[in-house]
Amino acid sequence: MPQFESVDQVIDELAAVGYIADTRLATTVFLVTRLDKPLLIEGPAGVGKTELAKALAAVSGRQLLRLQCYEGQDETKALYEWDYGKQLLYTQILREKIGQVVADAPDLATAVDRIGAQESVFFSERFLAPRPLLEAIRSEEPVVLLIDEVDRADEALEAVLLETLAEYQVSVPEVGTFTAKQPPWVILTSNNTRDLSAALKRRCLHLFLDYPSAERELEIVRSKQTGLPDALAEQLVGIVRGLRELDLRKSPSISETIDWARTLAVLGVQELSSAILSDTASVVVKYDKDVRKALGALPRLVDPNAVVPEPGHGHGHGHGHGHGHGHDHDHGEPDGRAIRAAKDTPGRHGNTYGSDPLNGGPKPVTPAKVSADRGSRSFTAGLGRKRAL
């Protein structure tokens, strides 16, 4: 298998298979191949962590084995499990042979001991179903082992990984310990949905992979031969970077930038406008609230000098208000503030709160006079009634 002779060769070899790496990333990959240590890559989704493992396998000619992690995953899906169906089938086939083994047994205990002595037949490599970790260790040829999104797995699986990452071996209690003849190149990826244990990080080289610079992202888009003209690709990269600065639930990834470029190329777009970008924004923005934020920002991202109406103004309901905040209603309608002020004027209703239906019109209403001791007499009378009750 070819080995990298220098960091520059790593950059060139990865570029040959469409993966654009900077010096920092290439240096880390070079150390992985020389130190035989796993590499843990952390960073946001869609920055090329998984693609690095695929590119490394393509460059080196090694087989890629992938363990996709998820919540609730146990060691049987990562290391190995016993093929119980196969064991049962062999039991049925060998039933007659088992009868011969215990045929001359003097008692039940002896028969059980003789059958127990044959357990190793059914718990052997013949019935062992290897999963990605054990398969990578047992492989006769060197491989690239991708442990993808390890942060999604439970902490219990991290403990299972420690032996494999530190010793390049897997222990099977019924069989023994398998040690790698050819240490695999191990790439672990994490989207930082939770913190990984210090024990796991201590066993790995570490690299944080963030969104690339505009120049490198443009180079990546060009390398994928999307069909979009270079000038438009450069403008599109700038727009995507502007969307990433918004408070989005999920920022557009590099792969989504490539998908957007291909989409615009398929549509035959010759000039980027807010209209065509709004119609295709769902290629890079995947949540409803994010879409609304993106649609509001796209006009300014396309043209920084664009005049965009502020929210709540110029809504065009046909009222002709203009919303000038001064409320200078030139259309002859009464001023609402003046109406509200008039309602607060003392005595605005005069003395005619009631009406005289017999005389056909309102009459002055004179408030009833209340003597000074009226309240005290009422209060005393109320106490008397309570005592009577």
Side-chain angles (χ1 to χ4, degrees):
M1 293 294 177
Q3 287 281 357
F4 299 116
E5 298 296 333
S6 65
V7 174
D8 291 336
Q9 184 183 358
V10 175
I11 296 176
D12 295 339
E13 294 287 344
L14 292 178
V17 295
Y19 192 92
I20 309 301
D22 57 16
T23 303
R24 182 173 64 94
L25 175 59
T27 301
T28 307
V29 171
F30 179 76
L31 294 176
V32 168
T33 63
R34 290 303 181 93
L35 300 177
D36 285 332
K37 287 184 67 68
L39 170 61
L40 171 61
I41 310 177
E42 295 186 286
V47 295
K49 303 185 295 295
T50 301
E51 289 299 317
L52 175 60
K54 295 179 180 179
L56 195 57
V59 167
S60 64
R62 296 184 173 212
Q63 179 186 3
L64 176 66
L65 298 177
R66 180 172 181 171
L67 173 64
Q68 182 64 52
C69 299
Y70 54 88
E71 186 177 356
Q73 187 177 28
D74 57 16
E75 63 182 44
T76 61
K77 302 299 182 182
L79 290 172
Y80 65 91
E81 61 182 340
W82 294 105
D83 191 340
Y84 296 112
K86 190 175 180 180
Q87 288 174 329
L88 181 60
L89 177 61
Y90 272 61
T91 301
Q92 297 296 329
I93 295 175
L94 300 177
R95 179 178 297 176
E96 294 182 2
K97 187 64 177 179
I98 294 175
Q100 296 176 9
V101 171
V102 300
D104 59 343
D107 51 38
L108 181 61
T110 304
V112 171
D113 290 340
R114 290 182 181 181
I115 295 175
Q118 307 300 321
E119 285 183 356
S120 59
V121 174
F122 293 96
F123 288 95
S124 61
E125 292 188 49
R126 182 189 301 274
F127 302 99
L128 192 64
R131 297 309 179 200
L133 294 184
L134 181 57
E135 189 175 355
I137 297 301
R138 294 176 61 192
S139 176
E140 296 292 334
E141 301 292 335
V143 300
V144 174
L145 174 61
L146 170 62
I147 305 176
D148 208 12
E149 297 184 335
V150 66
D151 54 320
R152 293 186 179 276
D154 299 332
E155 294 182 2
L157 184 61
E158 284 189 44
V160 173
L161 294 174
L162 297 182
E163 179 186 13
T164 303
L165 299 180
E167 311 290 340
Y168 289 120
Q169 67 180 30
V170 171
S171 297
V172 181
E174 297 86 350
V175 178
T177 300
F178 295 93
T179 303
K181 298 178 180 179
Q182 298 283 348
W185 292 347
V186 183
I187 305 294
L188 300 93
T189 71
S190 168
N191 293 335
N192 286 333
T193 59
R194 69 173 178 85
D195 292 333
L196 301 176
S197 66
L200 180 68
K201 289 190 173 185
R202 188 171 62 248
R203 287 163 169 79
C204 305
L205 298 176
H206 184 268
L207 178 67
F208 185 84
L209 200 58
D210 205 348
Y211 294 110
S213 63
E215 294 78 9
R216 181 166 169 255
E217 186 165 6
L218 178 59
E219 187 178 358
I220 294 172
V221 173
R222 286 172 176 168
S223 69
K224 299 302 180 180
Q225 299 179 355
T226 61
L228 194 67
D230 286 351
L232 297 186
E234 183 176 0
Q235 186 182 2
L236 183 65
V237 167
I239 291 171
V240 172
R241 293 177 66 81
L243 291 178
R244 289 180 186 144
E245 294 177 359
L246 302 177
D247 185 20
L248 301 180
R249 180 177 175 182
K250 178 189 176 301
S251 296
S253 65
I254 300 175
S255 60
E256 288 166 337
T257 305
I258 296 170
D259 291 340
W260 208 4
R262 287 174 174 159
T263 299
L264 297 173
V266 169
L267 294 175
V269 174
Q270 299 299 320
E271 180 181 357
L272 297 187
S273 64
S274 59
I276 188 63
L277 294 179
S278 297
D279 291 341
T280 56
S282 59
V283 175
V284 295
V285 186
K286 305 301 174 63
Y287 293 95
D288 182 54
K289 290 184 178 180
D290 289 355
V291 170
R292 292 198 294 269
K293 292 178 182 179
L295 295 182
L298 280 174
R300 288 195 181 96
L301 293 176
V302 175
D303 181 6
N305 298 320
V307 177
V308 181
E310 294 293 334
H313 294 270
H315 45 64
H317 291 302
H319 300 295
H321 298 304
H323 290 283
H325 292 289
H327 296 281
D328 297 329
H329 298 270
D330 296 331
H331 40 65
E333 295 182 3
D335 191 339
R337 291 182 300 174
I339 294 175
R340 289 192 297 273
K343 291 182 179 181
D344 296 332
T345 303
R348 61 190 182 281
H349 298 291
N351 294 327
T352 59
Y353 286 102
S355 61
D356 186 358
L358 297 178
N359 297 326
K363 67 177 182 177
V365 178
T366 303
K369 294 183 180 180
V370 180
S371 60
D373 60 344
R374 175 74 176 271
S376 61
R377 291 201 308 270
S378 300
F379 178 73
T380 305
L383 291 178
R385 286 194 298 271
K386 288 183 179 180
R387 291 191 186 98
L389 293 175

